Amino acid sequence: MDLSSLNPQQRLAVESTEGPLLVLAGAGTGKTRVITFRIAHLIDLGVAPEEVLAVTFTNKAAREMRDRLAELVGKSVGQRVMIGTFHAFCLQVLRQNGKAIGVSPDFQIVSGTDQRDLARDAIKMAGIDPSAYSPMRLLSSVSRLKNAGITPAQAFEDAHGAQQRLVAFAQLRYQRALERLEAVDFDDLILLSLRLMREKAYIRDQLCARFRYVLVDEYQDTNKPQYDLVASLTRDSRNVCAVGDDDQGIYSFRGARLENLLDFERDFPEVRIVALTTNYRSTAPILKAAHAVVRKNPQRREKELVSHIGEGARVCLIEAAHEEDEARRLAEIVHKRHFEQGVPFSDIALIFRTRAQPRPFETAFNEREIPYRMAGLHSFFDKKEIKDFLAYLRVLGRPDDDLPWFRVLAFPPKRIGLQSRTRIAEMAQRSKQSVASLLKKPVAAGLPGRLCRALQRPLACIEAARAQLGPGQLHQAVRSLMDSLGFRQGLLAESGQDEGRRRWDFVLEQLEDLETKEKRRDIKSLSAYLDYLALEAHDKQKKEDDSERVTFITIHASKGLEYGEVFLPGVEEGLLPHKRAVEEGGEAAIEEERRLCYVGMTRARRQLNLSYCKTRRSGALQTPAQPSRFLADIPGELMTRPLKPDRKQMFAAIWQKLGRGPEH
């Protein structure tokens, strides 16, 4: 096995085959290369491929690992190594051995709609108001419990207080429903495998004997059950290789425990630690700036990455007046990079802290005719609440358009079911008239009395709003319609209080866009506004078909990816670090926000751009915004226009009031 292509740190990690090994793999230091070379080296030393287990967190990462291994040892040998996610490994274990603890070998895995339906039934059985506690919220709480190694039955026994007991009862009902169906969710795959190994020692011994070498990728992202699973598998051999980076631990909301990596030598005192610090991705200024941000975290292992590429452009800092100005300026830079400097659109990414941030950038990029793709994000106009809202605009502005009526009659709920809506459409088609014309005289059209009564109020509200339409009154008429129909209340009932309010904020944002264009006299009618939106959507569709597109992505989704040029918009207090972390999370939450900033920054290979706004919209108002405390940590010589000393001093008091200041 030729290891000459590895640097000294990588080679040490590959050749340290016996006993526990902790590989601290900084961003861009070649961790996947080390893992695959280490597996190949074990096989070269005579270890049977079937004795090696490599686990990671995504199927994509597993496929990449498998493909790279095949290049080193050949496809037939590589296929004999067990490479997969924790869930894939546990699925195989339970299919083969689950019967020993009463798990049917034919169990089904529930997810998606089926899982939400079970949760909805559990909420009803517990007597909880579904508008205050949504199925997704219940599923999230169950997942958090299981990721902490706690079963719903245990949570029910430990519940205190009436509300907590109700929620615990709903969690227990959900779990009982799974058991009744002989089904499991993804979290159960891990917990049941652990239970199997704890209760049936002979099966644990068989698994330990088979998998003598265990490698775990992204170890900082493991939760308690996953950690316990690895510990149980390697209790006898002690041949565990944990590869991870404490500076990239950003999944605590999923139950990930950074302590699993930080305290590794407590559990394996004989561990050898190898740090990979040569970065093959980014230029020196990018790495130094990112390190300056993350080094302020006290809970980390000190390591500073060294760029193999060397020096490069300084980090560009951009100050914008507001989010529309920020979007416009970044779109201008991207346009210049591509058309004047020849940078491919596909080599550029805008990385956001939150899912709501891309909205103004969609508009700015469409206006510049810059193609983009929403990686792991939904376009603003693909959201259900926005589609429903725009349907109302269409029935107001173009009443003879039949297509939007299905949505209008369905939401908010009006006791007009699918069969009734289908019947209305069929009757309109048979009578060769529009749906709007038919609904003006529903009795004469032959609709049942119950349906006519259900239609009476929403149709009256729509007609009242249409009568209000006039120059300068469009947004007021639409808002009046939303209020009279209970659109906001419908969202709260459908999604729960927190999610419903978030979805209503998106509707308000579209209303504000209508109001802004009306005041600027960009549009004079709802029909003109609908034309504008249709053109914007059409432009977006054309760009979606283009293989060369700028990537819009969140920081969480960007982990493991890289781009030639990265823009990190909204580096402000309240966004990065997030308001919730500052106000509710304490020091641990601020540390994770630093790690998020670090991950976003280290996605860049050649050029990193950070931007912030002086004001940002909050509801209907533009409110002052402050640059993030993280910007103050970056040495001035690394940036094109650093925060001036007087600016740092001015914001220091604000940072201190908002939470721990720039020194933390």
Side-chain angles (χ1 to χ4, degrees):
M1 182 71 194
D2 183 12
L3 305 180
S4 60
S5 62
L6 303 175
N7 68 39
Q9 297 164 317
Q10 293 173 334
R11 183 160 184 164
L12 178 60
V14 166
E15 293 182 326
S16 301
T17 58
E18 302 303 310
L21 174 69
L22 176 61
V23 180
L24 298 174
T29 57
K31 67 179 178 61
T32 304
R33 180 177 174 81
V34 166
I35 293 172
T36 51
F37 265 82
R38 194 170 193 274
I39 296 172
H41 184 60
L42 285 168
I43 294 172
D44 194 51
L45 293 176
V47 175
E50 293 82 3
E51 293 180 320
V52 180
L53 168 66
V55 288
T56 186
F57 279 83
T58 66
N59 291 314
K60 179 184 176 183
R63 284 193 298 271
E64 181 184 357
M65 205 176 291
R66 198 177 294 115
D67 291 343
R68 290 201 192 184
L69 181 63
E71 293 175 2
L72 296 174
V73 299
K75 189 173 182 180
S76 60
V77 175
Q79 286 178 337
R80 291 161 58 191
V81 178
M82 176 61 183
I83 300 176
T85 64
F86 276 98
H87 295 112
F89 170 70
C90 290
L91 175 62
Q92 178 177 300
V93 168
L94 289 174
R95 290 282 189 222
Q96 295 174 353
N97 305 286
K99 196 172 181 179
I101 55 171
V103 178
S104 167
D106 299 320
F107 66 83
Q108 60 174 314
I109 303 173
V110 296
S111 61
T113 303
D114 293 337
Q115 200 174 9
R116 288 192 293 274
D117 288 344
L118 291 177
R120 188 175 291 108
D121 291 342
I123 290 169
K124 290 178 182 177
M125 292 295 293
I128 299 175
D129 180 3
S131 67
Y133 204 86
S134 67
M136 288 306 298
R137 187 175 174 187
L138 178 68
L139 293 173
S140 294
S141 67
V142 171
S143 184
R144 281 195 300 271
L145 284 174
K146 293 180 178 181
N147 286 337
I150 303 170
T151 66
Q154 291 171 313
F156 183 70
E157 291 177 6
D158 297 337
H160 298 289
Q163 184 61 30
Q164 194 178 83
R165 279 195 290 270
L166 276 178
V167 173
F169 182 65
Q171 294 167 340
L172 186 60
R173 293 289 307 188
Y174 164 77
Q175 193 62 32
R176 293 287 182 261
L178 286 178
E179 294 167 1
R180 189 169 61 252
L181 294 169
E182 293 189 340
V184 301
D185 59 25
F186 280 95
D187 295 317
D188 283 332
L189 292 174
I190 312 289
L191 289 181
L192 288 171
S193 297
L194 264 178
R195 180 183 153 203
L196 175 69
M197 296 174 70
R198 285 168 177 164
E199 294 181 8
K200 305 298 177 183
Y202 71 94
I203 293 178
R204 187 196 71 82
D205 292 343
Q206 289 173 4
L207 291 170
C208 289
R210 177 185 170 183
F211 298 111
R212 291 176 48 231
Y213 295 88
V214 177
L215 300 90
V216 186
D217 189 18
E218 305 287 8
Y219 196 76
Q220 77 280 352
D221 294 336
T222 54
N223 58 33
K224 187 178 185 304
Q226 290 162 343
Y227 167 81
D228 290 341
L229 187 74
V230 172
S232 186
L233 279 172
T234 60
R235 190 180 70 181
D236 298 334
S237 71
R238 311 289 286 179
N239 290 330
V240 55
C241 173
V243 182
D245 182 8
D246 50 328
D247 288 335
Q248 297 188 74
I250 59 174
Y251 293 114
S252 64
F253 67 95
R254 293 182 186 170
R257 298 172 72 243
L258 192 62
E259 297 85 352
N260 291 349
L261 186 146
L262 294 172
D263 298 337
F264 192 82
E265 62 261 54
R266 179 197 64 195
D267 306 301
F268 297 94
E270 74 275 32
V271 66
R272 168 174 278 186
I273 300 176
V274 177
L276 306 182
T277 56
T278 302
N279 176 284
Y280 294 91
R281 175 190 300 159
S282 307
T283 60
I286 294 171
L287 295 180
K288 289 176 181 177
H291 180 256
V293 172
V294 82
R295 68 184 290 271
K296 295 295 182 72
N297 279 349
Q299 300 298 316
R300 67 182 292 270
R301 295 172 182 270
E302 176 53 36
K303 57 189 175 301
E304 184 168 3
L305 303 184
V306 177
S307 174
H308 182 74
I309 299 172
E311 291 302 318
R314 288 186 292 176
V315 176
C316 182
L317 184 63
I318 302 163
E319 181 184 77
H322 43 71
E323 56 262 53
E324 286 81 10
D325 181 47
E326 180 183 41
R328 178 185 57 78
R329 294 181 66 179
L330 268 55
E332 287 176 357
I333 295 172
V334 170
H335 191 274
K336 181 178 180 180
R337 291 282 193 272
H338 179 74
F339 290 104
E340 295 183 19
Q341 300 173 17
V343 178
F345 283 134
S346 59
D347 206 25
I348 300 172
L350 273 67
I351 303 182
F352 302 95
R353 172 63 181 89
T354 71
R355 291 177 175 271
Q357 281 177 263
R359 172 67 182 99
F361 292 90
E362 288 195 72
T363 298
F365 275 58
N366 281 330
E367 289 175 350
R368 279 273 180 179
E369 297 189 347
I370 300 172
Y372 62 90
R373 68 187 187 96
M374 307 287 282
L377 293 164
H378 291 296
S379 170
F380 184 83
F381 299 105
D382 290 337
K383 298 179 188 295
K384 178 184 179 296
E385 58 272 19
I386 297 302
K387 288 182 177 180
D388 289 339
F389 172 79
L390 294 179
Y392 278 98
L393 264 60
R394 290 169 68 183
V395 299
L396 284 177
R398 296 168 180 167
D400 290 333
D401 184 353
D402 285 353
L403 291 177
W405 279 101
F406 246 55
R407 282 189 171 273
V408 164
L409 296 177
F411 187 86
K414 304 173 181 66
R415 296 184 179 179
I416 304 172
L418 178 61
Q419 286 185 339
S420 295
R421 299 195 298 274
T422 303
R423 184 174 184 176
I424 290 170
E426 290 174 347
M427 290 178 70
Q429 188 175 22
R430 281 200 305 269
S431 60
K432 296 183 180 180
Q433 59 180 318
S434 68
V435 170
S437 297
L438 182 145
L439 293 178
K440 283 181 179 179
K441 299 178 180 179
V443 177
L447 294 179
R450 181 200 61 78
L451 182 54
C452 290
R453 289 189 293 274
L455 285 165
Q456 190 173 0
R457 184 173 179 277
L459 292 177
C461 292
I462 290 171
E463 284 305 313
R466 187 176 290 124
Q468 295 176 36
L469 294 177
Q473 304 297 314
L474 300 180
H475 72 280
Q476 293 176 0
V478 175
R479 178 59 189 263
S480 176
L481 178 60
M482 296 295 100
D483 291 341
S484 63
L485 287 173
F487 198 96
R488 178 178 182 274
Q489 289 79 1
L491 291 174
L492 296 175
E494 186 175 73
S495 305
Q497 295 291 321
D498 293 342
E499 178 66 11
R501 281 194 293 266
R502 189 181 72 85
R503 294 176 67 194
W504 175 244
D505 285 342
F506 289 136
V507 175
L508 288 180
E509 189 174 333
Q510 193 63 47
L511 261 173
E512 289 162 6
D513 183 66
L514 170 61
E515 181 180 4
T516 299
K517 287 181 170 52
E518 188 177 19
K519 287 181 176 179
R520 290 177 182 170
R521 298 185 179 180
D522 293 337
I523 53 104
K524 295 180 180 180
S525 66
L526 278 183
S527 184
Y529 185 62
L530 290 167
D531 284 342
Y532 157 75
L533 293 178
L535 288 172
E536 187 172 4
H538 178 64
D539 287 344
K540 179 181 183 303
Q541 183 60 48
K542 287 193 296 183
K543 296 178 184 71
E544 289 291 348
D545 296 335
D546 193 328
S547 59
E548 280 293 318
R549 291 173 283 163
V550 175
T551 297
F552 288 7
I553 193 169
T554 64
I555 297 177
H556 283 100
S558 73
K559 189 165 172 289
L561 304 177
E562 59 182 69
Y563 305 91
E565 181 160 6
V566 163
F567 294 83
L568 206 58
V571 188
E572 302 160 23
E573 293 294 316
L575 277 177
L576 189 63
H578 196 275
K579 179 181 180 181
R580 187 168 52 248
V582 174
E583 295 179 351
E584 304 171 13
E587 192 164 327
I590 296 297
E591 288 185 27
E592 182 149 335
E593 293 293 309
R594 282 190 180 279
R595 294 194 292 271
L596 278 163
C597 189
Y598 174 84
V599 168
M601 294 171 75
T602 54
R603 299 311 93 197
R605 294 196 302 268
R606 299 183 307 273
Q607 179 66 61
L608 173 64
N609 308 276
L610 309 175
S611 62
Y612 66 91
C613 299
K614 292 190 287 187
T615 66
R616 186 167 290 274
R617 188 183 300 277
S618 178
L621 302 174
Q622 286 289 139
T623 59
Q626 287 80 38
S628 170
R629 66 193 74 185
F630 302 156
L631 293 176
D633 297 327
I634 302 174
E637 64 270 17
L638 297 177
M639 293 196 288
T640 53
R641 52 167 303 277
L643 285 178
K644 297 177 181 178
D646 60 327
R647 297 273 285 172
K648 285 189 182 183
Q649 188 174 2
M650 180 176 70
F651 287 119
I654 298 172
W655 285 322
Q656 204 65 41
K657 285 181 181 179
L658 292 169
R660 303 303 291 267
E663 71 277 7
H664 291 281

